[in-house]
Amino acid sequence: MQCGWQDSTEGKIKLYHKEHKEHKRFIHTFVNFVVFVVKIGAMNHLTTYLIISAILFILGLLAMMTRKNGVSVLMGVELILNAAGLNFVAFSRFNGGNLNGQAAALFIMIIAAAEAAVALAIFLNLYRLQATAEVDKASLMKG
Amino acid sequence: MEILKHIIFYLFVAMTIGSACVVVFHRRIIYSAFALLGTFFGVAALYLYLCADFLAASQVLIYVGGILTLIIFGVFLTAKITSLDIPQQTHQRFIALVPAALLGAGLVGMIYGTDWKGLPPLSSPPVTGGEAAFAAGGAQPTAKGLGRLLLTDYLVPFEVASMLLLAALVGAMRLARFYRRED
């Protein structure tokens, strides 16, 4: 019996060491991954920003296509405008710090503000007329 | 410190894209509206990483302070408010996924396929904020240059934009005014 007890303890100790080793290996892998990520230096590449901007653009497009509520469609438009601004600023930064792209992004912001105000006024009117803000219900002028 | 900067960059990217996904896919419109906050802040942070300090500040001021407030007002004014749980319907979700996925694949393929030879990766990481960074020559404040650009090269678009804002202001007031029906 005592022998068996000792065996099981040794087994446990072995198991503990094995788990510990795997734990260590996991940490090692993680640290390696972080070092790898830093070595890539994604924040210093133009493509990173272009990809982020493309994802934002696609998400905004999806919101515009699938949402029924007009305010949600407007949110999709805002996402797309943000993506465009991000693209402009990224190109301006990677083109030797040329400020022209930033000026364009500034104009995009101005246009977004004007567009949001007018679009919300239109949806407000639509809601008053038809008690709904859904864009496919806006068919009053359809003969 | 260098590693920390990279990790924070990834966190900001995750915040931007994650909250944009919430904007697009959440069932309750008010959650979408508030998730837009995360997207705007994330894009402002990305602007900071791109050394556009003035743009980051105006992004927070205009988008978060102006447009997001407008959108939340719009949500509340175009719904019968009984609770914060305002559902919204979606349509053509799966049909819309196809062209979006195609376009996304095309965009990503184009971005990776293009050889950005004229625009190499930055040798030095963009340094933002702080007097020391400016003194080290890492990043320059952009407000001065932008102001000069707006009053020289972009003077006409600048004036046109001011006219556009005025017209939008008057038009939005005219549209959103309450009219008593005559008939």
Side-chain angles (χ1 to χ4, degrees):
Chain A
M1 284 304 285
Q2 205 156 0
C3 204
W5 176 77
Q6 270 179 346
D7 275 357
S8 76
T9 314
E10 272 178 11
K12 268 183 192 167
I13 288 173
K14 263 183 193 168
L15 200 70
Y16 173 75
H17 277 294
K18 202 180 165 193
E19 275 180 1
H20 201 62
K21 233 180 195 172
E22 279 184 1
H23 191 63
K24 252 185 180 172
R25 201 195 286 157
F26 175 72
I27 289 178
H28 194 68
T29 321
F30 183 71
V31 168
N32 265 347
F33 175 71
V34 168
V35 168
F36 174 71
V37 158
V38 171
K39 243 183 206 167
I40 292 175
M43 69 181 198
N44 296 330
H45 286 279
L46 177 63
T47 43
T48 315
Y49 296 96
L50 294 187
I51 292 292
I52 295 166
S53 148
I55 292 171
L56 279 183
F57 178 80
I58 294 297
L59 285 173
L61 203 66
L62 267 178
M64 279 174 72
M65 285 196 288
T66 57
R67 291 300 204 191
K68 271 186 179 172
N69 193 318
V71 183
S72 301
V73 175
L74 192 66
M75 288 182 209
V77 177
E78 297 299 335
L79 283 185
I80 288 183
L81 286 170
N82 258 302
L86 190 59
N87 246 352
F88 268 118
V89 177
F91 275 112
S92 116
R93 167 71 180 142
F94 287 87
N95 204 3
N98 193 336
L99 283 181
N100 286 314
Q102 294 197 15
L106 212 56
F107 284 119
I108 288 177
M109 259 180 222
I110 294 170
I111 288 171
E115 169 257 340
V118 173
L120 281 172
I122 289 173
F123 289 136
L124 214 61
N125 249 351
L126 182 68
Y127 181 70
R128 268 192 210 127
L129 273 175
Q130 302 195 332
T132 175
E134 294 187 357
V135 278
D136 41 354
K137 299 264 173 63
S139 54
L140 215 65
M141 289 171 81
K142 192 174 166 188
Chain B
M1 286 319 284
E2 193 62 34
I3 288 179
L4 203 64
K5 221 187 282 172
H6 284 80
I7 291 171
I8 290 173
F9 176 77
Y10 285 108
L11 286 181
F12 276 129
V13 171
M15 185 173 100
T16 309
I17 292 173
S19 45
C21 286
V22 173
V23 170
V24 179
F25 296 117
H26 206 284
R27 201 177 53 82
R28 295 173 188 170
I29 186 167
I30 200 72
Y31 281 69
S32 295
F34 278 106
L36 210 53
L37 180 82
T39 311
F40 289 158
F41 265 117
V43 173
L46 292 181
Y47 282 169
L48 272 186
Y49 270 92
L50 289 166
C51 295
D53 52 348
F54 179 73
L55 266 181
S58 27
Q59 165 93 4
V60 172
L61 282 178
I62 295 176
Y63 271 104
V64 179
I67 294 176
L68 193 63
T69 318
L70 259 180
I71 285 180
I72 290 172
F73 264 104
V75 169
F76 281 131
L77 286 176
T78 58
K80 297 175 193 75
I81 306 171
T82 50
S83 68
L84 283 183
D85 184 12
I86 305 167
Q88 58 179 348
Q89 288 173 322
T90 55
H91 59 150
Q92 302 166 348
R93 188 172 250 182
F94 297 103
I95 305 173
L97 270 177
V98 176
L102 281 179
L103 186 63
L107 276 176
V108 170
M110 200 184 67
I111 288 166
Y112 276 112
T114 311
D115 192 14
W116 306 103
K117 255 191 187 139
L119 309 171
L122 302 173
S123 52
S124 63
V127 189
T128 50
E131 295 286 320
F134 288 147
Q140 302 295 322
T142 56
K144 195 176 167 188
L146 265 177
R148 188 160 291 165
L149 213 56
L150 281 183
L151 287 180
T152 53
D153 287 0
Y154 291 98
L155 184 59
V156 177
F158 182 65
E159 295 297 330
V160 171
S162 68
M163 284 303 294
L164 175 79
L165 275 180
L166 184 66
L169 187 74
V170 176
M173 278 171 65
R174 167 71 177 74
L175 278 173
R177 230 180 100 189
F178 182 71
Y179 287 104
R180 193 168 292 141
R181 283 197 191 159
E182 299 294 327
D183 48 356

